[in-house]
Amino acid sequence: MEHTIRERTLALAGIFQAVALVKQIARAERRDQSAIEASINSILKIDAPSVDDIYGGVSGLELGLGILKKQLGTKANSRDLEITQYAVTILHLERKLDKRPALMATVREGILHAQSQVEYFSAIHDTVIASLADTYLNTVSTLTPRVIVKGDPSTLTDKANTELIRALLLAAIRSCVLWRQCGGNRFNLLLNRGAMVAICEDLLSATGNP
């Protein structure tokens, strides 16, 4: 099946949204709760019929699309190097994870377990977040390089914050898998950079937030 630049743009926005949320939490910034819900829910939608569906529609990626637009844009001073570093590391880790079938199977088992918990709790309930965090800790976190999250020490030592950060890093990995499944790679990112910025602008305009 041939995938479109639009689908790759959404998947890439999913990566940047998840890592941007990690930064928000780690630095005790104002949290975008709707974006957190969309990113966490994306992990649980293993067999969604479309890319849009994975994120609950384009509106679920509003934060990510805005960040991606800035990251790929021509204004260097609008780019966030910390977010870029997180995204690059996550993309690298996903490629390593893909070469470890046993770890990938463990990730899938962890996600299926979290899916079963959602029958009793919401996707962002502490129990589900803790389960997804454990999945990340026991799989992706065993690979190198590890994601080194920077932020406020008191925030990062809080268990609830740590678990949410790990769950969001798993969401970023999920979007990396999707990006690759949609044909995403470094070459077509460089080749279609301008087109992706235009797609971000069009999608944001449709949500009423250009």
Side-chain angles (χ1 to χ4, degrees), residues 153-195:
S154 62
T155 300
L156 291 173
T157 53
D158 181 88
K159 183 181 177 183
N161 290 331
T162 301
E163 289 179 339
L164 182 53
I165 285 170
R166 286 175 179 154
L168 286 167
L169 289 173
L170 186 62
I173 288 286
R174 194 272 180 270
S175 287
C176 285
V177 172
L178 182 62
W179 156 256
R180 184 170 46 80
Q181 289 173 338
C182 290
N185 56 53
R186 187 181 300 177
F187 177 74
N188 61 38
L189 174 58
L190 293 172
L191 189 66
N192 299 311
R193 189 171 185 148

Side-chain angles (χ1 to χ4, degrees), residues 13-169:
I15 299 170
F16 278 96
Q17 176 161 298
V19 295
L21 290 167
V22 166
K23 182 185 174 184
Q24 284 182 1
I25 294 162
R27 296 193 176 276
E29 298 173 357
R30 183 174 175 271
R31 301 182 185 187
D32 188 326
Q33 194 60 33
S34 61
I36 289 174
E37 291 181 24
S39 289
I40 295 298
N41 270 299
S42 73
I43 307 172
L44 305 172
K45 294 181 180 179
I46 298 175
D47 301 313
S50 70
V51 174
D52 291 59
D53 231 33
I54 288 168
Y55 301 102
V58 173
S59 60
L61 280 175
E62 197 169 319
L63 173 66
L65 288 166
I67 290 169
L68 183 59
K69 175 184 168 184
K70 291 179 180 178
Q71 298 292 99
L72 297 183
T74 56
K75 295 180 180 178
N77 61 355
S78 68
R79 297 173 196 152
D80 189 315
L81 294 179
E82 184 177 345
I83 288 175
T84 299
Q85 185 177 22
Y86 290 152
V88 168
T89 303
I90 283 290
L91 282 161
H92 186 60
L93 286 169
E94 188 276 330
R95 295 305 298 142
K96 284 196 168 184
L97 183 65
D98 184 55
K99 296 174 183 176
R100 300 279 297 275
L103 275 185
M104 283 292 281
T106 303
V107 170
R108 185 176 179 84
E109 288 172 9
I111 292 172
L112 291 174
H113 176 64
Q115 281 181 331
S116 69
Q117 291 176 316
V118 174
E119 296 178 16
Y120 306 97
F121 308 103
S122 72
I124 56 168
H125 189 277
D126 290 348
T127 301
V128 178
I129 295 297
S131 180
L132 293 172
D134 280 346
T135 297
Y136 177 86
L137 186 63
N138 295 325
T139 56
V140 183
S141 192
T142 65
L143 303 173
T144 56
R146 297 186 68 179
V147 180
I148 306 300
V149 177
K150 304 170 186 175
D152 175 63
S154 62
T155 300
L156 291 173
T157 53
D158 181 88
K159 183 181 177 183
N161 290 331
T162 301
E163 289 179 339
L164 182 53
I165 285 170
R166 286 175 179 154
L168 286 167
L169 289 173

